[in-house]
Amino acid sequence: MTTQMKPVTGKIVVVDPIPFRGGSKVATEVLLDELAKRMPEMTFHVLTQDPASWAHCRHHKLWVPPFLKGRESGLGYLLKQGWQSMAILWLAWRLGAVKCLLAASGPGVDLCCYWAARWLQCRVVQMIHGPVGCSGLSARALQRANLVFYLESTRRSLEALILRLGVTDFPSHWKSFINGLSDVDWPTTTSGGARILWAASLLKWKGLETILAAHQQISSCRPELIVCYLQPMGTRLPCSQPQPQLPDTRWYSSPDNLDEIRSQCGIFVSTSHQEPFGLSILEAMAAGLCVVIPTDGAWWDQHLIDGVNCCKYHPNDSDDLARVLVALNAMPDVVIRLGRNAQLHATTHYKAVDTYQGTADLWEALLREDKFIL
């Protein structure tokens, strides 16, 4: 006779203080979907400055006074975190039965979750999608997390952080994870062609200028460059500017039909500097595009092979990128072959049901515990 586990009920509040959409939010949403399959009695709510990023989730607007937006240090930062803590407490009071807070970005951004959790006496699960600053506040926050899930590419920054805690080994409840794509939202396979796609935010480190300079160097039979961009909001980080006047380019701001646009392209170019993961690269691979990436030692540089399932160029080098694009433009059969190999790699290794299994197992076990220490 089999014993059925008791259903886990309650609410999880996802705290998203970042006011524009990025790959980390897409990845978090896919992870939540996997968790919801296991515990359908749990309900998920997102407290966010950017409700448009969570159209498929129950979301609640996180309003931050204009004078606190973009505050990343000093008194302004502490005031912003305090304000956001009060917003979490207010939402939790209205919802009732909040069992867990998901800090969805990083300990420096999500400090408010830890402050609110002390009042709520609930669990905190921390997701880390990018390098973490080596601050005492971040170190002490992570020390109080019940679970920490981090991309392997962020490990070096975390190693520096844990030294501030006086330890050298990662705690047992800190676990690395790999992003994946859900079968339901698997990208549409490309119809092929010579069009080049670049898709990222306009943050300077995403390298828009590199692809534009490389594309304009192509003088003979220049393929069309499709630029799909997100305009960062509420940040003081340097940003690039759209240049729709450039010939043979087409520009889309936060397109709702990105999947359709991507399926009409044959090549995807990433120009990001040390991308922690690169979900847009994975989506392009899953769609069968030929991906062109820098040899910068980042995740995809370590896991893809030049000439087998991708093409590589020297990082931040528009001349070398132009050379690669000219060569691919002259060899459409190579573009198709590399795209198919990339699609096979994505299908084999990056399905969410597999990549998030260990993460979901640990999170489910945490939520089933009757007692916990915060």
Side-chain angles (χ1 to χ4, degrees):
M1 184 176 67
T2 59
T3 303
Q4 290 187 342
M5 286 192 294
K6 182 180 178 181
V8 180
T9 60
K11 299 177 179 69
I12 294 175
V13 173
V14 182
V15 181
D16 169 36
I18 298 177
F20 59 93
R21 187 166 177 82
S24 61
K25 296 187 184 184
V26 177
T28 299
E29 190 170 6
V30 175
L31 173 58
L32 292 177
D33 287 342
E34 292 300 316
L35 194 63
K37 294 175 186 176
R38 296 162 171 256
M39 295 182 291
E41 296 82 6
M42 294 291 295
T43 57
F44 300 87
H45 296 260
V46 184
L47 181 62
T48 177
Q49 286 195 63
D50 183 28
S53 293
W54 302 93
H56 304 298
C57 299
R58 299 177 182 89
H59 55 263
H60 310 265
K61 178 68 175 177
L62 171 60
W63 182 79
V64 176
F67 72 92
L68 292 179
K69 291 183 177 180
R71 301 286 183 171
E72 306 300 336
S73 61
L75 179 60
Y77 165 75
L78 295 175
L79 288 173
K80 183 176 72 173
Q81 294 296 327
W83 177 275
Q84 292 173 171
S85 300
M86 295 301 295
I88 296 170
L89 293 173
W90 173 243
L91 176 61
W93 180 79
R94 286 188 292 145
L95 295 175
V98 172
K99 200 175 187 72
C100 178
L101 298 180
L102 172 59
S105 304
V109 178
D110 299 324
L111 184 62
C112 53
C113 291
Y114 296 91
W115 289 354
R118 291 291 292 269
W119 287 89
L120 296 171
Q121 286 296 293
C122 71
R123 300 162 174 84
V124 178
V125 174
Q126 176 74 66
M127 302 295 295
I128 299 177
H129 301 273
V132 174
C134 190
S135 74
L137 280 174
S138 294
R140 288 192 293 273
L142 285 183
Q143 198 172 27
R144 290 164 48 200
N146 297 99
L147 280 174
V148 176
F149 297 118
Y150 62 92
L151 288 177
E152 190 60 40
S153 56
T154 69
R155 185 178 180 90
R156 182 172 297 180
S157 68
L158 289 172
E159 287 173 347
L161 194 66
I162 64 171
L163 290 177
R164 301 199 65 155
L165 299 176
V167 296
T168 55
D169 296 326
F170 277 33
S172 60
H173 62 287
W174 290 22
K175 304 293 184 181
S176 64
F177 73 98
I178 299 174
N179 284 322
L181 302 176
S182 69
D183 290 334
V184 174
D185 296 317
W186 196 265
T188 302
T189 297
T190 175
S191 57
R195 291 188 186 91
I196 301 168
L197 174 65
W198 184 93
S201 78
L202 292 180
L203 290 170
K204 203 75 171 181
W205 69 272
K206 293 291 187 178
L208 174 61
E209 287 79 8
T210 302
I211 181 61
L212 294 181
H215 181 252
Q216 292 304 299
Q217 288 185 46
I218 304 174
S219 56
S220 178
C221 300
R222 180 165 54 206
E224 187 175 35
L225 172 65
I226 310 298
V227 180
C228 296
Y229 66 92
L230 297 171
Q231 179 67 61
M233 306 294 291
T235 180
R236 296 185 178 183
L237 295 174
C239 294
S240 303
Q241 296 299 318
Q243 301 182 50
Q245 76 281 1
L246 292 176
D248 301 313
T249 64
R250 192 182 303 179
W251 297 71
Y252 298 90
S253 175
S254 304
D256 293 329
N257 61 334
L258 176 58
D259 182 63
E260 178 185 357
I261 294 170
R262 182 174 49 228
S263 69
Q264 297 169 0
C265 300
I267 296 171
F268 178 88
V269 176
S270 171
T271 52
S272 297
H273 310 315
Q274 292 287 319
E275 183 74 62
F277 182 81
L279 195 66
S280 59
I281 298 174
L282 176 57
E283 290 171 337
M285 291 166 56
L289 276 70
C290 171
V291 296
V292 180
I293 60 173
T295 55
D296 59 356
W299 176 266
W300 291 115
D301 182 30
Q302 296 180 41
H303 290 81
L304 297 179
I305 302 173
D306 189 21
V308 176
N309 45 27
C310 74
C311 273
K312 298 183 181 181
Y313 68 96
H314 301 312
N316 308 319
D317 189 337
S318 59
D319 294 337
D320 194 48
L321 177 55
R323 175 191 62 79
V324 170
L325 294 177
V326 168
L328 290 175
N329 196 36
M331 299 183 292
D333 57 325
V334 172
V335 171
I336 293 172
R337 175 175 59 83
L338 295 181
R340 287 175 177 170
N341 289 346
Q343 188 175 46
L344 177 61
H345 187 80
T347 304
T348 304
H349 300 289
Y350 292 94
K351 288 199 169 185
V353 66
D354 299 319
T355 62
Y356 290 134
Q357 181 175 348
T359 304
D361 285 345
L362 290 169
W363 200 350
E364 181 182 4
L366 174 70
L367 293 174
R368 289 188 181 281
E369 291 178 2
D370 292 327
K371 296 180 180 180
F372 67 96
I373 300 174
L374 181 63

